[in-house]
Each structure stands twice: as C-alpha cells, then as structure tokens.
Amino acid sequence: KAGVTQTPRYLIKTRGQQVTLSCSPISGHRSVSWYQQTPGQGLQFLFEYFSETQRNKGNFPGRFSGRQFSNSRSEMNVSTLELGDSALYLCASSLAPGRPYSYEQYFGPGTRLTVT
Amino acid sequence: DQQVKQNSPSLSVQEGRISILNCDYTNSMFDYFLWYKKYPAEGPTFLISISSIKDKNEDGRFTVFLNKSAKHLSLHIVPSQPGDSAVYFCAAPHNAGNMLTFGGGTRLMVKP
C-alpha cells in the first residue's frame, strides 16, 4: 500500500507570496492532519480534516488555511508568507475518527518551505 | 503550556544495550500515547502506541510502559541497533480527534 505523498518536496518563496501544498493520504484513510516543524517550536498541529470538514485547528494565524476534497486528498495554503513560515510542513493520514487505531497517524515525507 | 515533555534532548547508547526514552505529560485527559521515530528530511514514522487502560505494550524490540499515576511513559528498545539512531517523539491525541501534541523529541545515538 502506498504511503502518504506530499508535493512539492521543496519550495522557495519570497515574503508576501502565497503557497499551496498538496497531500494524498494512504488509500482508505479519510482523516488528514497537517503539522509544522521548526527548530524552535518543534512539531505543531495546524489542522485536521475529515469528510471535507475541518475538525480541529491549531493556534496559527488565519493566513494558514486548508481544505479536503471528496477523495480525501488535502491542500494547505499559506498567504502573505513571512520569514518565520520557513519550516517543514508535514501531512499525516489516519482512519476515520472513532474506528480502531484511528489515533495512529502516518506521515508523509514533508514539504520543506523556505521563505526569503 | 507544554503538555507533553521529553526532558532529555539526547541519549547515547552502545549497540546491543537497552535504550530508554522518557516522556512526561501534564494533561490527565490524555488516554492514548504514541511514539514516533524521525530521520532527518523525512516524516515521522509510527512506532508503537499504548492506551491508558494498559500499562505495557510490546512490539518486537520496542516496549512502551505507561505509569498513569506519575503521568510518565517510557520507550524501551532492546537490543539497540545503529539503525535506531534518530529523533524519537512521544505524542498524545486530544480534542476528540487527531490533534496530536508532540514532545520536543530525544535524539538517540546508538554507537557500534
């Protein structure tokens, strides 16, 4: 079974620009979560989607947004990029909430975003 | 408010010996815990989990112990292998969903 895929793997953007990152979950997984990893803040939860609806949102500004499509694929968008948005953005998929082992999230390789 | 803490940023162990990685939590509502391993430039890899109804879960060389009264869990790796060298994170889901809160990670170095 193929794992979680994320595209692109690397991105360089300029301050003020916007960026869209894509995630394809493991087949059969319907919940998708996004995390940001930085050296200073560690791994931080951004948001979680299930059935095209945002279920949870972390403590990030409104510049960070996401969505999920009917095939469970997800995208996240960051508008008006700041230098501090430089990070590894990780997508994770899991089974539908409430199912056994639904807490176990499987991560993709991440998208390394550099903002200059 | 760091609800999940890994107080040891690094740990060095000889190959073949036991590695013990520790994790403390403050939120008594946490009832499930996970351990992940992460190599540089890769996403975290799920290792093992434990429900709060258990105090031990074992999978091959990996065993996780949970002490609810102390709000403490630990991951034991026996025997340790050089390929185990990575950063290990403990995590707990909350908010009735998959909102994982991660500890800061412990870098394990297994020396041949």
Side-chain angles (χ1 to χ4, degrees):
Chain A
K1 195 184 262 192
V4 177
T5 58
Q6 292 187 246
T7 55
R9 292 292 312 276
Y10 302 93
L11 262 181
I12 299 176
K13 290 286 189 177
T14 305
R15 271 181 302 175
Q17 289 185 314
Q18 75 161 15
V19 66
T20 299
L21 312 181
S22 182
C23 171
S24 292
I26 291 171
S27 177
H29 283 192
R30 297 175 57 200
S31 177
V32 173
S33 299
W34 289 88
Y35 295 83
Q36 180 197 64
Q37 185 183 27
T38 59
Q41 298 297 320
L43 273 158
Q44 291 189 293
F45 172 83
L46 278 158
F47 22 67
E48 177 203 358
Y49 287 89
F50 171 69
S51 287
E52 303 175 63
T53 301
Q54 187 179 90
R55 295 187 74 227
N56 283 301
K57 189 176 193 306
N59 189 23
F60 279 82
R63 299 185 297 107
F64 292 81
S65 62
R67 60 177 175 168
Q68 186 182 35
F69 302 96
S70 58
N71 61 359
S72 296
R73 195 177 66 84
S74 177
E75 289 180 346
M76 68 163 281
N77 185 278
V78 188
S79 62
T80 320
L81 284 166
E82 301 177 358
L83 294 178
D85 297 333
S86 294
L88 180 67
Y89 290 88
L90 293 157
C91 169
S93 75
S94 57
L95 294 169
R99 290 191 57 187
Y101 308 109
S102 62
Y103 287 140
E104 295 171 7
Q105 296 184 33
Y106 295 84
F107 284 80
T111 295
R112 170 70 62 185
L113 172 65
T114 302
V115 182
T116 62
Chain B
D1 175 25
Q2 203 174 355
Q3 299 187 65
V4 180
K5 295 182 184 180
Q6 294 176 257
N7 291 318
S8 299
S10 64
L11 174 68
S12 183
V13 170
Q14 205 67 33
E15 180 179 7
R17 306 294 291 269
I18 183 171
S19 295
I20 300 176
L21 299 106
N22 295 304
C23 180
D24 297 297
Y25 61 96
T26 57
N27 190 337
S28 57
M29 297 297 290
F30 288 157
D31 60 3
Y32 200 89
F33 302 90
L34 307 97
W35 282 94
Y36 286 86
K37 176 171 75 173
K38 188 178 184 303
Y39 294 117
E42 292 184 14
T45 301
F46 170 70
L47 275 176
I48 191 169
S49 62
I50 188 166
S51 165
S52 62
I53 62 172
K54 295 184 175 181
D55 54 18
K56 176 183 173 181
N57 189 26
E58 192 172 352
D59 184 1
R61 297 186 297 115
F62 301 92
T63 303
V64 56
F65 295 92
L66 175 61
N67 182 334
K68 290 185 290 293
S69 61
K71 294 192 177 69
H72 176 85
L73 59 154
S74 60
L75 174 68
H76 293 211
I77 306 174
V78 183
S80 301
Q81 299 172 354
D84 296 329
S85 297
V87 179
Y88 289 77
F89 294 92
C90 63
H94 59 129
N95 277 17
N98 287 337
M99 183 175 171
L100 286 179
T101 295
F102 284 87
T106 296
R107 181 177 302 278
L108 173 65
M109 292 163 283
V110 180
K111 299 178 181 177

